[in-house]
Amino acid sequence: MRSNSPQIQLDAAHQIRRLTQILGPPAEVGAQIVIDSGLLPTIIELLSSKDAGLVSESAWILVNVAAGTSDQTSEIVDGGGIPKLIAVFRTAPDGAKLSALMVLGNIAAESGRLREILIREGGIEPALEVLGDPERYPPKFFDAAAWMIERATVQEGGRHVLLEMGKPVLPILLKFIQLRSHDNTEAMSYVLKALRRITSNPEAVNTIINSQMTFCLVQLCVTENRGLQEDAIRILSRFTAGSKETVQAALENGILDALQHCISVRIKVGTVCWAAGNVARGTVSQVIALVKSPLIPLVVGVALDETISLTSRQEAAKALYHAARAASYAPQLLEPLVEARCIEALSEMLSLEDGRLGYLVLSGIEYFTATEWRGQKQAIARLKACDGIRRLRDVRFKAWARKGMAERIAQGMLRTHFPEFSKYPRV
């Protein structure tokens, strides 16, 4: 490798590259041999060679070294590898260019320290260039670039280092989704995961809304790729936790259809129910859109289905509570909720030993039975028919309800609507 003969160097690099592959996995075995040989600085330096073949072999060796441990990858960084890898990406043929991209991606993946160094030294730029103008690159570049960005968006102590350094990541990710939304590729999955991390920042959500990209995310929810569906619905659900304007923009772009599809095929059911509950806390028009959609009966189905996870059923119950609460101010909305079997679902959830949820469930039932509206008697009758009386009586003796507001609500409903069942048993 230290010979003055380019051919000897090329042959040596080829042998070292083959050796690192033969000795792995695990990759750290071959990587450590290269490091212990003292040749790593030479290999990094050869990235600047005018011999394209030597550059390609050297970059490939670094791919194998960077696939090792964090300490082994640090050797590349500490040896000044990042600037040279960026130069390879900018000037070398596609093979070496892809290898450089993969090494930079491994650096981003290893640790917070290396990730921050990479971003500071501009090592993220090649990935942004690929995703920002995908027509210029072969599809195999997309996976490497998207993976690097996905790794680079990992938060460090609650910080988005990539965003703090002023990198235009979000517009580029949105552009890539717009251009490649028809692809069910691994790259799209990485991009959506990066976007999901970034949207923990409310400002990022507003940027997406203003970019008119919401509809693309909705469309991704109905693809045949379950992974893309999961990431897209998790992003969209965050829109419902924003301002009423953000919720409205999401509704106008079909988020209810996306939520309905995902809950129907059992994708992120708890997340969907959480999002539905958020919409139910919106404006009157937003609540109307929710209540009149096919989503509410599906949320009811989740609450009633004992085969679904308890967490998802709890989110479903909370969503129904919020819908009932909103409907109590617009009683015409109580009827479709009753027809969707909300009372039955809420009554069923009273059997759970969850004090916070139990209080919400009781309050949700009370909105149907205490509000003066034309279906009030029907609501009371349905509560009785679904074993509601027994459940209300049982609530009074549960540890989470005893001598608290929950017990008073349960006893109040019994005394008002079923007085013959309201007496406590004699001791």
Side-chain angles (χ1 to χ4, degrees):
M1 290 296 288
R2 297 190 178 104
S3 171
N4 293 326
S5 168
Q7 186 59 51
I8 293 176
Q9 286 181 316
L10 179 59
D11 291 343
H14 178 72
Q15 293 301 321
I16 292 172
R17 188 261 297 170
R18 287 192 62 198
L19 180 64
T20 58
Q21 290 178 291
I22 292 170
L23 292 174
E28 52 260 35
V29 176
Q32 196 58 47
I33 288 176
V34 173
I35 292 169
D36 290 344
S37 71
L39 289 174
L40 188 60
T42 302
I43 294 168
I44 293 172
E45 191 61 35
L46 287 174
L47 292 174
S48 302
S49 172
K50 294 181 180 179
D51 186 320
L54 190 52
V55 171
S56 179
E57 290 289 353
S58 299
W60 201 339
I61 293 171
L62 293 182
V63 170
N64 296 334
V65 173
T69 66
S70 180
D71 288 341
Q72 290 167 340
T73 305
S74 294
E75 296 285 340
I76 298 174
V77 175
D78 297 340
I82 292 176
K84 292 186 179 296
L85 288 164
I86 296 171
V88 169
F89 177 83
R90 297 263 161 76
T91 60
D94 280 355
K97 194 188 295 283
L98 180 59
S99 292
L101 197 60
M102 292 171 66
V103 177
L104 293 170
N106 279 332
I107 293 171
E110 282 300 338
S111 69
R113 182 185 77 85
L114 294 182
R115 198 154 38 242
E116 192 157 348
I117 293 172
L118 179 78
I119 296 169
R120 187 170 60 248
E121 294 188 11
I124 209 75
E125 300 299 333
L128 294 177
E129 290 177 22
V130 171
L131 298 180
D133 193 4
E135 301 302 323
R136 288 180 52 200
Y137 299 92
K140 58 187 176 182
F141 276 67
F142 303 161
D143 290 351
W147 180 64
M148 189 198 304
I149 297 298
E150 188 268 332
R151 292 288 82 200
T153 53
V154 173
Q155 293 190 51
E156 298 297 332
R159 296 169 55 217
H160 275 299
V161 177
L162 191 57
L163 300 183
E164 286 179 5
M165 293 188 176
K167 304 298 181 182
V169 180
L170 187 53
I172 288 173
L173 295 182
L174 294 176
K175 181 180 178 181
F176 182 82
I177 292 172
Q178 186 175 35
L179 292 175
R180 310 295 301 187
S181 60
H182 58 283
D183 291 350
N184 292 338
T185 61
E186 192 172 6
M188 183 62 71
S189 177
Y190 288 137
V191 166
L192 289 177
K193 284 181 171 58
L195 193 62
R196 177 163 55 82
R197 290 198 183 101
I198 293 172
T199 51
S200 62
N201 183 331
E203 291 183 9
V205 171
N206 291 332
T207 299
I208 297 174
I209 292 289
N210 294 333
S211 70
Q212 309 297 313
M213 284 296 298
T214 309
F215 182 71
C216 286
L217 293 171
V218 169
Q219 291 301 105
L220 286 170
C221 287
V222 296
T223 66
E224 295 181 358
N225 186 312
R226 189 176 182 90
L228 296 184
Q229 290 175 319
E230 289 181 355
D231 286 320
I233 200 64
R234 290 176 72 176
I235 294 168
L236 286 170
S237 67
R238 286 184 173 159
F239 295 5
T240 66
S243 65
K244 289 180 173 58
E245 291 75 20
T246 301
V247 175
Q248 186 60 37
L251 289 173
E252 291 171 358
N253 282 278
I255 191 174
L256 290 180
D257 292 335
L259 295 173
Q260 177 189 339
H261 176 79
C262 287
I263 198 173
S264 297
V265 295
R266 294 295 186 258
I267 289 176
K268 292 295 176 185
V269 172
T271 300
V272 171
C273 292
W274 175 76
N278 289 336
V279 175
R281 298 161 77 176
T283 65
V284 173
S285 63
Q286 291 166 0
V287 175
I288 290 174
L290 172 68
V291 170
K292 292 188 175 181
S293 77
L295 183 58
I296 287 294
L298 294 171
V299 173
V300 167
V302 171
L304 289 170
D305 190 344
E306 294 183 1
T307 66
I308 293 177
S309 72
L310 177 59
T311 301
S312 295
R313 294 180 69 203
Q314 289 170 327
E315 289 298 340
K318 292 174 188 177
L320 297 179
Y321 157 77
H322 288 301
R325 182 176 186 276
S328 69
Y329 295 99
Q332 73 275 14
L333 298 179
L334 288 171
E335 186 171 353
L337 291 176
V338 169
E339 292 175 355
R341 302 183 67 221
C342 284
I343 293 174
E344 287 83 348
L346 291 171
S347 175
E348 180 70 26
M349 297 300 287
L350 282 177
S351 59
L352 300 180
E353 295 294 334
D354 185 332
R356 171 61 179 162
L357 181 67
Y359 172 73
L360 292 180
V361 166
L362 284 168
S363 298
I365 294 172
E366 190 177 37
Y367 288 128
F368 290 102
T369 60
T371 303
E372 293 186 5
W373 64 293
R374 65 180 184 179
Q376 185 179 19
K377 290 183 179 180
Q378 180 193 3
I380 296 169
R382 292 185 77 130
L383 177 61
K384 181 178 181 180
C386 69
D387 204 20
I389 294 174
R390 178 186 65 79
R391 290 187 174 121
L392 290 174
R393 286 171 60 86
D394 289 348
V395 162
R396 300 176 304 175
F397 302 100
K398 292 183 179 291
W400 56 264
R402 197 84 174 108
K403 297 183 179 180
M405 182 60 72
E407 181 185 358
R408 287 195 287 273
I409 293 174
Q411 179 63 13
M413 280 193 277
L414 288 169
R415 186 182 298 114
T416 302
H417 307 301
F418 314 107
E420 66 274 29
F421 298 101
S422 65
K423 293 182 179 179
Y424 284 86
R426 293 180 179 178
V427 179

